[in-house]
Amino acid sequence: MRFLTLRYFNEVAKLGSIRKAADRLHVAPSAVSRQIAQLEHELDAVLFERSKVGVQLTPAGEVLARQSNRIFRNLDRARNEIDDLRGLRRGEVSLFVIEGLVSGLLPDLLANFHHRYPAVTFRIQTGSTDRIIEALLEDEADIGITFNATPRPEIEVIAEHVEPIACLVAPTHEFASRASLTLDDICTQTIALPEHSFGLRQVFERAIAKRQRTPQVLVTTNSLELTKRMAATGQVIAFMPALTVITELHSDALRAIPIADPAFAAARSSISIHRDRPLPHAPQEFLKALADAIRGLSRKRKPG
């Protein structure tokens, strides 16, 4: 199995398209197709299901994609470590993060880090808490920012920020002037929630199940941004820590109403890494900056 063949396969697997992979690799699509066909012949296995809209990994293809990703990630680490030996500041940081969770924090942090290390690049993806943990376990991510993740022995939490989950409503909503809300109040309204793989949804469902309530869930989505936008229409309510909607609160597009239930009081955002996987220099430096920023948020919440 040649390195070039594996690289072509890896790009097709990531992009789901032979043509897109060829564009990124600066070769003809026919050259990519030949390499894939050669690899399938060598392994005696079909790696992709072809369709008019692109290609999709078969079970055999998923096995090879998972292992080839690790190969290329290790090569990137080796390159970064060699750069470190030369005294360079190059490298890439792979970050998986809950969408919207640190929207008021991450852009400034990235800008400041870029000013210090202009040659360091970032690969940032959003996803659910379950997806972020998977990315750390599968060596897709250097650093993960999760929300209310279940502890796992392989995952090390570097820093956490605790903040209650609030109910988000439009200024015109009947709850907008309320000092707090109960679960009974909440269950009288139509609700927009993230998918079940999100820590936020899991907190909500545990609280509802414990009190045997039946919510009116109108929208289930993998986009936290959409739940905010839906709440701003006044037709539904949504849920997030106030930290994630600072801009909307300042512009009076949303109100954040406390929820009088202990299940929503101790929600936590966590900065995590894989416990047994050393980080290259660039991710190490960014992890320090990110952890300091999260700890700073927690210090601001303490009285005095």
Side-chain angles (χ1 to χ4, degrees):
M1 189 183 301
R2 294 190 305 156
F3 179 81
L4 180 64
T5 304
L6 197 58
R7 185 182 176 206
Y8 282 19
F9 164 81
N10 193 255
E11 288 296 331
V12 175
K14 285 192 296 186
L15 299 174
S17 165
I18 288 175
R19 181 169 295 278
K20 289 180 181 178
D23 289 343
R24 178 170 290 185
L25 294 164
H26 306 292
V27 298
S30 58
V32 177
S33 295
R34 282 195 301 272
Q35 294 291 339
I36 298 300
Q38 177 182 327
L39 187 56
E40 290 181 322
H41 176 75
E42 182 177 339
L43 296 173
D44 191 23
V46 177
L47 301 174
F48 293 104
E49 296 287 350
R50 277 78 168 173
S51 70
K52 292 182 179 179
V53 296
V55 296
Q56 186 172 1
L57 288 166
T58 64
E62 289 176 355
V63 170
L64 183 59
R66 189 160 52 246
Q67 298 301 328
S68 66
N69 280 336
R70 289 174 178 167
I71 291 171
F72 286 103
R73 288 280 290 159
N74 285 334
L75 286 173
D76 287 341
R77 286 196 180 97
R79 186 180 297 112
N80 288 338
E81 289 179 17
I82 291 170
D83 287 344
D84 290 345
L85 290 173
R86 294 172 177 162
L88 301 179
R89 295 297 190 183
R90 291 190 299 177
E92 181 184 73
V93 180
S94 176
L95 178 66
F96 275 61
V97 57
I98 288 288
E99 177 197 0
L101 189 61
V102 289
S103 58
L105 173 72
L106 197 55
D108 286 343
L109 191 61
L110 290 170
N112 291 336
F113 194 85
H114 173 68
H115 181 72
R116 292 171 56 201
Y117 304 109
V120 172
T121 60
F122 288 84
R123 183 170 60 88
I124 301 173
Q125 298 189 49
T126 61
S128 67
T129 287
D130 288 356
R131 175 68 184 100
I132 295 167
I133 294 297
E134 178 189 354
L136 288 171
L137 294 174
E138 294 296 328
D139 198 14
E140 297 177 63
D142 296 315
I143 304 166
I145 306 178
T146 59
F147 185 76
N148 267 37
T150 302
R152 296 189 59 137
E154 309 97 319
I155 302 300
E156 179 181 359
V157 174
I158 303 301
E160 286 190 331
H161 173 63
V162 177
E163 182 172 19
I165 298 171
C167 181
L168 305 182
V169 302
T172 56
H173 194 277
E174 62 180 290
F175 288 165
S177 60
R178 295 282 294 271
S180 67
L181 296 169
T182 66
L183 279 182
D184 286 336
D185 294 327
I186 287 167
C187 288
T188 66
Q189 304 294 310
T190 53
I191 300 170
L193 287 172
E195 291 180 342
H196 299 275
S197 58
F198 282 73
L200 184 64
R201 178 68 175 261
Q202 293 163 17
V203 170
F204 180 84
E205 290 189 336
R206 283 194 294 268
I208 289 294
K210 184 176 181 180
R211 287 152 189 80
Q212 299 181 328
R213 300 294 188 268
T214 304
Q216 302 177 47
V217 181
L218 176 66
V219 174
T220 295
T221 175
N222 67 347
S223 171
L224 292 176
E225 184 64 27
L226 179 59
T227 65
K228 289 195 298 184
R229 299 279 184 176
M230 289 293 297
T233 69
Q235 300 302 306
V236 302
I237 61 176
F239 305 90
M240 281 188 207
L243 172 67
T244 66
V245 288
I246 291 174
T247 301
E248 290 84 354
L249 295 178
H250 286 170
S251 66
D252 203 31
L254 286 172
R255 305 275 173 83
I257 313 299
I259 303 170
D261 189 290
F264 296 89
R268 68 192 189 283
S269 306
S270 303
I271 312 301
S272 301
I273 61 173
H274 195 290
R275 187 177 301 278
D276 300 321
R277 190 178 301 129
L279 291 178
H281 179 70
Q284 279 182 3
E285 288 299 310
F286 186 71
L287 178 63
K288 293 175 186 175
L290 183 57
D292 285 346
I294 290 296
R295 293 183 185 114
L297 289 174
S298 298
R299 284 193 294 269
K300 288 179 183 178
R301 286 186 55 83
K302 293 179 181 178

